[in-house]
Amino acid sequence: MTDIEQLLSEIRTFNQERDWDQFHNGKDLAIGLSIEASELLEAFLWKSPDDANIDIIREELADVLNYAFQMADKYQLDIKEIMLDKIRKNAEKYPVERAKGSAKKYNAL
Amino acid sequence: MTDIEQLLSEIRTFNQERDWDQFHNGKDLAIGLSIEASELLEAFLWKSPDDANIDIIREELADVLNYAFQMADKYQLDIKEIMLDKIRKNAEKYPVERAKGSAKKYNAL
Amino acid sequence: MTDIEQLLSEIRTFNQERDWDQFHNGKDLAIGLSIEASELLEAFLWKSPDDANIDIIREELADVLNYAFQMADKYQLDIKEIMLDKIRKNAEKYPVERAKGSAKKYNAL
Amino acid sequence: MTDIEQLLSEIRTFNQERDWDQFHNGKDLAIGLSIEASELLEAFLWKSPDDANIDIIREELADVLNYAFQMADKYQLDIKEIMLDKIRKNAEKYPVERAKGSAKKYNAL
């Protein structure tokens, strides 16, 4: 079992024990994920990047990942596959020779 | 190399080739993650959960995961460890006997 | 008619002409508002605050306000009243003598 | 003084008394607005639209509006003008004869 499979398995067990799958429709999972991403962002509000509290980052990032893994599981998306596919697509959108050292969006390159 | 390490390695190579680490401070990574979570959520706007387009979910969820992995890497957080820790904490906050079949927040249980 | 009433009236007419009230449940309005706030935030991604494009800020902020006004109208909340109430509450949470010159959250003051 | 001017004036006084303008750069205001929009959205998480708590909606919507007004003030944008302009633009993007009764995005109409 890979690391990702183990994490998915732990999350599934957690939800099954609590009978929570009934609530976990895709729309509310996406809302939950967006809320957790916002709580992570709050660690940086009114601060320079280096002043954010690492313990809060750790907690909130774990929540984001937890929801993202549930979302993948809900739609039977293979996490490794969709991430590698996206990296390949981004490599085409942002070719090294044009994107190097630039923070511009691909359609402004 | 585990699957998570492989994904982190691919993301690191992608960024190094483009010399993008200079832009990737934690605050902007958190902003980027929040924006991608919002784009994922947009797949469900004005729709019942089952009507969302799976191709869009796949793309946007990959973006969310990509940013979340970068954030973990930036702060040298071990993805597997922080996720398992969080599942354990949630198990304490939501004990099976009280949380079973309830969508209430832990402080309302 | 006050300026807020005029804006609400314009928004109502716009929606009635398109028969869109049927879609405008509170949950999707809140999702839409959150997405627009994220699009506004995107104007600042990878940028110092002064480098954001004012035309984009103008457009996206108008979208945010438009959704927020619709939300108020949906729940028959008086915009002026809820805003003034909140300013009063914040004044109690952040008393001048303790909050002056500090960006700390009220529970950390 | 119109309602909007009065609200802006109250917000300005609140911030000046606390010497908070120094923190209120556009980027952090946009982050704050996005976080508040997320807190409003949380009122609907795992719920049907009618089950959200109106007191929470009232509080969080006031926070959203408060930040949106500050953002407008920061960039000297006239709230009434940018909202009316946007309604006019949306009327062109979504002509009545094609948009009536449809929840499709303008580029899918």
Side-chain angles (χ1 to χ4, degrees):
Chain A
M1 191 156 64
T2 71
D3 279 356
I4 290 177
E5 282 165 358
Q6 190 197 333
L7 287 163
L8 287 170
S9 167
E10 296 275 351
I11 293 170
R12 273 181 220 127
T13 301
F14 179 93
N15 287 324
Q16 280 160 7
E17 284 175 350
R18 284 156 190 79
D19 203 8
W20 277 4
D21 290 319
Q22 58 180 318
F23 306 117
H24 288 179
N25 66 81
K27 189 164 182 166
D28 280 296
L29 283 176
I31 292 174
L33 175 52
S34 182
I35 291 169
E36 296 299 343
S38 223
E39 293 183 359
L40 174 57
L41 184 53
E42 195 175 2
F44 297 91
L45 183 63
W46 314 126
K47 295 195 176 130
S48 73
D50 294 338
D51 293 338
N53 182 316
I54 183 67
D55 295 326
I56 297 178
I57 294 172
R58 181 192 161 99
E59 292 287 313
E60 301 301 345
L61 182 58
D63 283 335
V64 167
L65 284 162
N66 197 312
Y67 268 109
F69 273 53
Q70 283 187 71
M71 193 85 179
D73 210 30
K74 174 84 190 176
Y75 290 96
Q76 296 177 290
L77 294 166
D78 182 294
I79 288 174
K80 187 176 168 188
E81 184 188 310
I82 67 170
M83 288 182 71
L84 290 177
D85 272 3
K86 195 66 188 221
I87 294 168
R88 272 190 286 271
K89 279 193 191 177
N90 282 341
E92 285 170 32
K93 266 165 82 174
Y94 297 94
V96 171
E97 61 274 18
R98 287 163 65 200
K100 194 164 184 172
S102 163
K104 285 191 185 152
K105 213 173 167 177
Y106 69 95
N107 49 21
L109 272 179
Chain B
M1 191 156 65
T2 70
D3 47 3
I4 289 178
E5 284 165 358
Q6 190 197 334
L7 287 163
L8 287 169
S9 167
E10 296 274 353
I11 293 170
R12 272 182 221 127
T13 302
F14 179 92
N15 287 324
Q16 281 160 6
E17 285 176 349
R18 283 157 191 79
D19 203 8
W20 277 4
D21 290 319
Q22 58 180 318
F23 305 118
H24 289 178
N25 66 81
K27 190 165 182 165
D28 280 296
L29 284 176
I31 292 174
L33 175 52
S34 182
I35 291 168
E36 296 300 343
S38 224
E39 293 183 0
L40 175 57
L41 184 53
E42 195 175 2
F44 296 92
L45 182 63
W46 313 127
K47 294 191 178 136
S48 72
D50 295 338
D51 292 338
N53 182 317
I54 182 68
D55 295 326
I56 296 178
I57 294 172
R58 182 192 161 99
E59 293 288 313
E60 302 300 345
L61 182 58
D63 284 334
V64 166
L65 285 161
N66 197 313
Y67 267 109
F69 273 53
Q70 282 187 72
M71 193 85 180
D73 210 29
K74 174 86 190 172
Y75 290 96
Q76 296 177 290
L77 295 166
D78 183 294
I79 288 174
K80 187 176 170 188
E81 185 188 310
I82 67 171
M83 287 182 72
L84 289 177
D85 272 2
K86 194 66 187 222
I87 294 168
R88 271 189 287 270
K89 279 192 192 177
N90 282 340
E92 284 170 32
K93 267 164 83 174
Y94 298 94
V96 170
E97 61 274 19
R98 286 163 67 199
K100 193 163 185 173
S102 164
K104 285 190 185 152
K105 214 173 165 176
Y106 69 95
N107 49 20
L109 272 179
Chain C
M1 191 157 63
T2 70
D3 47 2
I4 289 178
E5 282 165 357
Q6 189 196 335
L7 287 163
L8 287 169
S9 167
E10 295 274 351
I11 293 170
R12 272 182 220 128
T13 301
F14 179 93
N15 287 324
Q16 280 160 7
E17 285 176 349
R18 284 157 190 78
D19 203 8
W20 277 3
D21 289 319
Q22 57 180 317
F23 305 119
H24 288 179
N25 65 81
K27 189 164 182 166
D28 280 295
L29 284 176
I31 293 174
L33 174 53
S34 181
I35 291 168
E36 296 299 343
S38 222
E39 292 182 0
L40 174 58
L41 184 53
E42 195 175 3
F44 297 91
L45 183 63
W46 314 126
K47 294 193 178 134
S48 74
D50 294 338
D51 292 338
N53 181 317
I54 183 67
D55 295 326
I56 297 178
I57 294 172
R58 183 193 161 98
E59 293 286 314
E60 302 300 346
L61 182 57
D63 284 334
V64 166
L65 285 162
N66 197 312
Y67 267 110
F69 272 53
Q70 283 187 72
M71 193 85 180
D73 210 30
K74 173 85 190 176
Y75 289 96
Q76 296 177 289
L77 295 166
D78 182 293
I79 288 174
K80 188 176 169 187
E81 185 188 312
I82 67 171
M83 287 181 72
L84 289 176
D85 272 2
K86 194 66 188 221
I87 293 168
R88 273 190 285 271
K89 279 192 191 178
N90 282 340
E92 286 170 30
K93 268 164 81 174
Y94 298 94
V96 170
E97 61 273 18
R98 287 163 67 200
K100 194 163 184 172
S102 163
K104 283 190 186 154
K105 210 172 168 177
Y106 68 95
N107 49 22
L109 273 179
Chain D
M1 191 156 65
T2 71
D3 278 357
I4 290 177
E5 282 165 359
Q6 190 196 334
L7 287 162
L8 287 169
S9 168
E10 296 274 352
I11 293 170
R12 272 182 220 128
T13 301
F14 179 93
N15 287 324
Q16 280 161 7
E17 285 175 350
R18 283 157 191 78
D19 203 9
W20 277 4
D21 289 319
Q22 58 180 318
F23 306 119
H24 289 178
N25 66 81
K27 188 164 181 166
D28 280 295
L29 283 176
I31 292 175
L33 175 53
S34 181
I35 291 169
E36 296 299 342
S38 222
E39 293 183 1
L40 174 57
L41 184 53
E42 194 174 2
F44 297 92
L45 183 62
W46 314 127
K47 294 193 178 132
S48 73
D50 295 337
D51 292 338
N53 182 317
I54 182 68
D55 294 326
I56 297 178
I57 294 172
R58 181 193 161 98
E59 293 287 313
E60 302 301 344
L61 182 58
D63 284 334
V64 167
L65 285 162
N66 197 312
Y67 268 109
F69 273 53
Q70 282 187 73
M71 193 86 180
D73 210 29
K74 174 85 190 174
Y75 289 97
Q76 296 177 288
L77 295 166
D78 182 295
I79 288 174
K80 187 176 167 187
E81 184 188 312
I82 66 171
M83 287 181 72
L84 289 177
D85 272 2
K86 194 66 187 220
I87 294 168
R88 272 190 287 271
K89 279 193 192 177
N90 282 339
E92 285 170 31
K93 266 164 82 174
Y94 298 94
V96 171
E97 61 275 17
R98 286 164 66 200
K100 194 164 184 173
S102 163
K104 284 189 186 155
K105 212 173 166 176
Y106 69 95
N107 50 21
L109 272 179

